[in-house]
Amino acid sequence: MQNKIVAVEGDITQQTVDAIVNSANESLLPGSGVNGAIHKAAGFGLEEECSTLGICREGEAKITKGYRLPAQWVIHTVGPVWEGGSYGEAQTLARCYQSCLTLALSYGIKTIAFPSISTGVYGFPLEKAAQIAVREVRQFLDTQSDLKQVIFACFEPEVYEFYQKLQKYKEL
Ligand code: AR6
């Protein structure tokens, strides 16, 4: 596979990867945005399995099957709500990516797609979030070779633009 990190414009539920990441809430119940789209596409089995998993704290991740999705797995993580930046939001967001990638590795997942965690209703500034996402994924891929590809699935053109500028973030 040529590019280990790629940005694509589109719906994460359509990605043919081993796992997609859900930007969930602590209860892991269906919500709005990407979470709503994933639950809708996966079907009720996903909600049923999520309801057995208990609370997922900010920065942590839990895994379920993908049900009707093309992806075999869904990794659910809970991003920080942006409260101005002095409440450890950046560190929590970084932990989301680390937790998801670590869990993916332990399940033998080779390809994974992320949405832009926390940049919708949770209000995390997009450019800052994209920098953290790319930095964390790069650092992770530098340390191991089992994970073959990480896709940033960007639902909006504005989000895609930021992730496409990945080269700019070489120094992160
Ligand atoms: N595919 C890819 N990205 C998407 C899709 C999709 N189908 N739909 C939306 N996005 P948001 P958050 C993008 O608000 O800010 C939920 O209610 C969207 O354009 O979905 O992390 C949960 O239950 C944006 O760039 O999630 C939580 O309570 C990005 O996904 C809360 O929202 C994230 O926007 C999580 O908030």
Side-chain angles (χ1 to χ4, degrees), residues 10-13 22-26 29-38 77-80 114-124 126 153-156 159:
D11 185 343
I12 201 165
T13 66
N22 182 18
S23 185
N25 51 64
E26 287 199 340
L29 292 175
S32 61
V34 69
N35 183 17
I38 290 172
T77 189
V78 180
F114 281 94
S116 182
I117 299 166
S118 280
T119 65
V121 297
Y122 280 2
F124 203 113
L126 182 55
C154 308
F155 200 51
E156 293 151 334
V159 176

Side-chain angles (χ1 to χ4, degrees), residues 160-171:
Y160 179 61
E161 259 175 51
F162 275 108
Y163 280 92
Q164 244 203 336
K165 290 183 201 152
L166 299 181
Q167 298 313 318
K168 198 177 122 189
Y169 300 134
K170 260 184 191 149
E171 304 307 320

Side-chain angles (χ1 to χ4, degrees), residues 70-96:
Q72 187 186 353
W73 303 104
V74 180
I75 296 180
H76 307 261
T77 189
V78 180
V81 177
W82 180 257
E83 290 180 279
S86 338
Y87 294 89
E89 294 97 321
Q91 289 82 354
T92 306
L93 186 62
R95 277 206 300 125
C96 287

Side-chain angles (χ1 to χ4, degrees), residues 131-149:
Q131 289 175 1
I132 292 167
V134 175
R135 182 192 69 206
E136 292 306 320
V137 168
R138 279 212 179 124
Q139 282 178 2
F140 195 88
L141 291 177
D142 277 352
T143 64
Q144 59 77 44
S145 58
D146 287 344
L147 201 58
K148 299 298 177 207
Q149 191 166 50

Side-chain angles (χ1 to χ4, degrees), residues 21 40 48:
V21 172
K40 192 170 170 208
E48 274 186 324

